[in-house]
Amino acid sequence: MAITIILPNALRPYAAWNDRVYVEAKTAGDALDQLLARYPDLRAQLPSDIASPPPGAAIYRNATDLRRLQGLDTPLRDEDRLTIIVPAGDL
């Protein structure tokens, strides 16, 4: 399944300046694993507990926060978007 991961400006330097990364994944966790495998420098820039990010940080599937769904186990469908939100001051 083609999934689009949308990165905020603050994370783009750690992902070869990409604003979007495309992966094939069935769950949000799988998609993030692929993102971090491709761009390992991102790991240090994300909350240590990505499944339960601190206030101001979030990961959305389309328009819904993963915390309101099934977290990293949230299933993905073809053409879903995962958007990562991180507070710029935390980087």
Side-chain angles (χ1 to χ4, degrees):
M1 285 181 227
I3 306 302
T4 303
I5 301 174
I6 301 170
L7 300 172
N9 288 337
L11 294 181
R12 292 175 189 168
Y14 307 97
W17 294 99
N18 288 301
D19 62 341
R20 296 169 193 271
V21 176
Y22 302 94
V23 298
E24 299 282 329
K26 293 185 180 186
T27 68
D30 291 341
L32 292 173
D33 286 346
Q34 289 181 43
L35 174 70
L36 294 174
R38 193 176 304 172
Y39 301 108
D41 291 343
L42 277 172
R43 186 172 303 280
Q45 306 308 315
L46 295 174
S48 57
D49 185 3
I50 194 90
S52 182
I59 301 173
Y60 289 83
R61 182 192 70 188
N62 303 321
T64 306
D65 191 326
L66 290 183
R67 290 175 283 206
R68 299 189 72 135
L69 299 168
Q70 298 169 359
L72 296 179
D73 293 328
T74 298
L76 301 175
R77 295 178 295 274
D78 199 30
E79 298 186 20
D80 274 348
R81 293 176 324 277
L82 287 181
T83 303
I84 300 173
I85 306 294
V86 294
D90 287 356
L91 298 179

